[in-house]
Amino acid sequence: QVQLVESGGGLVQAGDSLRLSCIASGLTFRYYAMGWFRQAPGKEREFAAGISTSGSNTYYADSMKGRFTISRDNAKNTMYLQMSSLKPEDTAVYYCAADHWGSGARGPSGYQYWGQGTQVTVSS
């Protein structure tokens, strides 16, 4: 059974940093491109960042470039999202997702497995 478990969310102030983690089990992690998505209340789920199977290619939504860094450790079956200079508009539930032999740049419909999400709240 495939499981993706996110952690690291919380309540922070604007300008702070957070690091999210996503631990995968039940799949061959290195065969999966991975992505972070987020969904704010009343809004659609949106792409935040993606990473290729090897980690050599990364992709970011424009609003996150320069502030967020995605990475992965295939030996630990874990993906990370380092978020800095957080803004109130970054408040959302953050989800990790896995895409078998994907590029890491697909939209939500391209991912086969999803975690349950972790809440990030940024106060002003």
Side-chain angles (χ1 to χ4, degrees):
Q1 181 181 0
V2 175
Q3 282 193 309
L4 302 178
V5 180
E6 303 96 336
S7 63
L11 172 63
V12 297
Q13 293 187 334
D16 285 352
S17 298
L18 271 179
R19 188 175 82 155
L20 306 183
S21 299
C22 171
I23 299 176
S25 60
L27 51 73
T28 305
F29 186 67
R30 66 184 183 277
Y31 293 169
Y32 285 79
M34 300 294 294
W36 286 101
F37 293 80
R38 68 184 189 182
Q39 188 165 19
K43 295 188 177 181
E44 292 186 353
R45 191 169 298 189
E46 65 173 350
F47 174 80
I51 189 166
S52 61
T53 54
S54 66
S56 59
N57 295 308
T58 57
Y59 308 91
Y60 298 93
D62 287 344
S63 62
M64 293 148 214
K65 287 179 182 176
R67 299 190 301 122
F68 290 10
T69 302
I70 189 171
S71 61
R72 66 189 294 163
D73 185 338
N74 285 352
K76 295 182 178 179
N77 285 8
T78 303
M79 173 180 66
Y80 306 96
L81 186 67
Q82 179 68 47
M83 305 185 293
S84 61
S85 302
L86 283 163
K87 306 174 182 179
E89 50 264 44
D90 293 318
T91 295
V93 177
Y94 284 72
Y95 299 89
C96 71
D99 179 14
H100 192 225
W101 290 121
S103 66
R106 294 181 183 175
S109 62
Y111 288 76
Q112 295 84 50
Y113 300 107
W114 291 84
Q116 293 299 307
T118 185
Q119 177 70 48
V120 172
T121 303
V122 184
S123 64
S124 57

